[in-house]
Structures are given as structure tokens and as C-alpha cells.
Amino acid sequence: MQRELMQKFEEMYGPGGEIREYFAPGRVNLIGEHTDYNGGHVFPCALTIGTYGLARKREDNKLRFYSVNFSKLGIIESSLDDLIPSDKAGWTNYPKGVMWTFGKRGYELTSGMDYLIYGNIPNGSGLSSSASLEVLTGLMLKDLFGFDQLTKQDIALIGQYSENNFNGMNCGIMDQFASAMGKKDCAIFLDTSTLNYEYAPVKLPDAKIVITNSKVKHSLVGSAYNDRRNECEAALKDLQTVVDIKTLGDLTEEEFEMHKAAIKDPVCCKRAKHAVYENQRAVKAVKALKENRIDEFGRLMNASHVSLRDDYEVSCSEIDILVELAWETEGVIGSRITGGGFGGCTVSIVKNDGVDNFISTIGKQYKDKVGHEAEFYVVEIDDGARILTK
Ligand code: GLA
């Protein structure tokens, strides 16, 4: 793979100079969904799939971008003087947003660069291809320009800032954090209110984590996401008139029930209920995992799905079909929607001897019901973003 990408780089941009290579993974979240902008906990892990990047500094201010995935677009040219979001810039808005954020934070990019990327995260799958591209770009800039003081956590925060302020998607920190900070065979138990985190080993001797891609992505994802965030903020404001809290993540279920009447809008109340209960589920699930109570972990995953479907309303019929089929399938310990929602993937824990049957039975029934095939990936958890050049 790296050899082919190097050849492609030289073919597109010409040989010579020092060409550096990087990788940043996608992620899957096991539990704790839509909690990261509510001061709650998340539990994601980095995948083996992600985005590869090759870069070389230039003598001038030019930026040249090329994606092997969008080869028809050819080389997209821009410059360091043109770090402004535009529809025309397409996928390059992600790396450009990261470059813009570097500049804003005083990390001056002293020259342009040639940049080639290739990603193997399925498009629109909700496995964080954009976050991986942001983290990849952050790592690339740190390395090329020698910003040694930047930590991987800083790179995650820069990625999130650029996505919020350059790309207009008000995401939380989970995806960039997982891509930057992932650790092989571990999920990251992250408290998004403090950024304290802990690596929890996820070596399940008797089971596998299986991602199922519904291969649907409904439009308006970004705006529906931002709406949810606004609804949670409105609920928080109402709650703050009766209880001293900074985020929804500060509340237990009991405290929420005690104070929820303060939330004026019933829709906002449902959204807040999800945020509070889901945060508590994430905390309980990690405890259960550490104590080897994997059935309890599965039960909490199922409850997470019901809450995302009914209270947070970010599921869709195709995803509900996949999850319900999983719940009915022998050997399934838990199954839920994962990521932002409105399509994308489910994540399931399946007993080792049930995996083949899971894939064949659900694959067939999904095709019969929905009309197209789902895709299945048995997860291997890997390290976070890294420099590949030796
Ligand atoms: C998207 C966002 C994350 C997070 C999830 C939902 O992936 O980028 O910050 O909010 O949705 O848990």
C-alpha cells in the first residue's frame, strides 16, 4: 500500500525532496453516544482502517491536494492565502480547515505543500473518515514544520475546532480524540468534561465486535446534528434555573427525574433524558466490562439503541432493521447504532461461534427487506495516528 502511494505521489507531483508518510484511523464508538457535547463519557476505539497521507514541503505558498479516492477530481490547487471554506473546495475543506486553525493558534506554516491522501474507510459509513483526515493533517503539519510542542491531544482539539469553525459541523471531541489517541486492543474511556481518559482493554476471549454498515446515509445529517445540540443546550439552560450544573453530564438519572419539569419544551426534555441516561450507561458499561460482566455490557448497548431511537431520534428504518435482526440472532450479546446517526453503521458484540451465522443470516434478511446488501467488518482495535516514515 505505502509503496503504491509513494509511486502515485511521484507520478502526480514529480520525484525528489523528502516525502513523509502518515496514517490516522477511523473509529467505532462502543457506547456513550451524543454525550460528548453534553459533558458526558464516551467509549470509542480506533480501527485498522483510516486515512493515509503523503506530504512534501514546497518552496512557494501553493497547496496541491490529490485524493486517490476522488482521482477524477485530479489535483486541486489552492494556496496558504486562500484558507477559506467553499463548496468548490470539496474534501480539501478538511485539511484546509486544519491549516487555518494552525495559523489562528500561532503555528505559522512557512511554506505550501503537496499532499496526497488515500482512505479505506467506507464513504458515509459514520466511522469518522473526516475526523481521521483532520487528525492526519494535524500530525502531518506538526511533523513537517517541527511543532514538537503539540501533543496528540492538541491535534485532536485542533481537528475538532476546525470542523466546528471551518466546516460548520458542531461535533464534539470524540472522533478526533479516538483517531489521535487510540491504543491497540483498548477502548478509550473519555470524560469529555475534563478530557481525563483511561484505556480499557477490550480483549474479549469469547466474542468479537462486528460493525454492520447499512450503506445508507440520509441527507441533512449536519443540520439535524446541530439541531440536537441546540435542543440539549436549551434543556440545560432550563435546568440551570433549578439546579447548579455545568453540563447534562453532571446529573444522575434520579437528579434528572427530580428536576426535569423545569425543561419547557417536551422535545428538549427527551433529548436531555437521553444525554443524561446515556452518560450513566457508558459509566456502567465500562465498569461491567472491567468486571467481565459482558452480558450487562450488551444489555446497556441495547438500551442505548432504544434511547437513541425513541428519545434522541437519530436512528432510521434501515438501522432499526439491522439492530432488531441482531437482537433476534443467536449469539448476539448486544447491538446498537453507532456514531452520529441517520444511517451509517451498527456495532454488535457477537459470540465467536455465532459470527458466521450473524453475517450470513442478517446479510440475507437485510437484503430481502431493504433491497441492497449490508457490509460487515469484524473489528480489530489499533493504535491512533502515527508517522509511517521510518
Ligand atoms: C459524531 C460526532 C461526535 C459525536 C457522535 C455522536 O460522530 O462527530 O462528536 O457527537 O456523532 O456520539
Side-chain angles (χ1 to χ4, degrees), residues 66-332:
Y66 179 80
S67 164
V68 175
N69 300 80
F70 299 109
S71 57
K72 281 209 185 97
L73 300 177
I75 293 175
I76 300 176
E77 278 209 18
S78 185
S79 97
L80 286 175
D81 306 319
D82 178 36
L83 298 178
I84 298 161
S86 74
D87 287 345
K88 187 174 105 254
W91 69 268
T92 69
N93 280 315
Y94 291 104
K96 285 171 89 175
V98 174
M99 293 172 188
W100 171 80
T101 307
F102 267 69
K104 255 186 106 67
R105 303 223 164 155
Y107 298 106
E108 196 201 342
L109 306 179
T110 47
S111 75
M113 66 214 85
D114 293 334
Y115 194 22
L116 174 143
I117 65 152
Y118 164 71
N120 55 8
I121 301 173
N123 243 341
S125 59
L127 300 176
S128 292
S129 55
S130 47
S132 80
L133 177 53
E134 288 154 2
V135 169
L136 178 84
T137 304
L139 180 64
M140 180 270 280
L141 296 175
K142 168 186 157 135
D143 178 60
L144 276 193
F145 294 94
F147 300 128
D148 298 338
Q149 65 274 46
L150 283 179
T151 62
K152 286 195 170 174
Q153 191 167 310
D154 295 330
I155 289 174
L157 287 163
I158 287 174
Q160 183 203 13
Y161 185 91
S162 76
E163 177 127 8
N164 291 172
N165 296 288
F166 197 88
N167 294 90
M169 159 83 173
N170 279 327
C171 64
I173 187 61
M174 170 168 75
D175 304 349
Q176 291 82 3
F177 201 94
S179 180
M181 306 286 290
K183 185 171 166 182
K184 193 169 170 51
D185 296 329
C186 291
I188 311 172
F189 184 42
L190 171 68
D191 178 346
T192 62
S193 67
T194 58
L195 293 188
N196 289 336
Y197 65 94
E198 180 193 329
Y199 290 116
V202 193
K203 277 214 156 164
L204 306 171
D206 306 320
K208 297 257 183 302
I209 299 170
V210 183
I211 295 173
T212 308
N213 186 353
S214 67
K215 306 202 79 175
V216 297
K217 191 81 207 162
H218 294 289
S219 55
L220 296 178
V221 179
S223 63
Y225 183 95
N226 291 348
D227 290 346
R228 295 298 180 282
R229 194 166 175 160
N230 293 336
E231 287 156 358
C232 287
E233 271 159 25
L236 175 65
K237 260 203 168 145
D238 288 344
L239 284 167
Q240 282 169 332
T241 62
V242 293
V243 56
D244 182 21
I245 50 168
K246 287 206 175 59
T247 68
L248 294 176
D250 292 338
L251 292 176
T252 62
E253 296 103 323
E254 294 75 25
E255 287 164 341
F256 176 77
E257 294 302 330
M258 204 163 24
H259 299 298
K260 69 179 181 190
I263 305 172
K264 294 186 208 97
D265 181 304
V267 170
C268 295
C269 189
K270 286 209 291 188
R271 307 298 192 239
K273 179 181 178 200
H274 166 78
V276 171
Y277 279 66
E278 179 73 359
N279 177 42
Q280 299 298 330
R281 273 191 289 272
V283 173
K284 288 177 196 161
V286 174
K287 185 162 186 290
L289 182 71
K290 285 183 184 163
E291 292 165 1
N292 274 323
R293 289 182 290 118
I294 189 70
D295 287 338
E296 173 66 3
F297 193 94
R299 198 191 61 73
L300 290 160
M301 286 174 79
N302 297 346
S304 164
H305 183 76
V306 171
S307 174
L308 287 157
R309 183 190 66 194
D310 299 343
D311 287 335
Y312 220 65
E313 295 178 280
V314 290
S315 190
C316 60
S317 61
E318 295 88 348
I319 290 283
D320 288 340
I321 288 171
L322 283 177
V323 169
E324 276 154 34
L325 287 171
W327 288 345
E328 288 159 13
T329 301
E330 181 84 24
V332 173

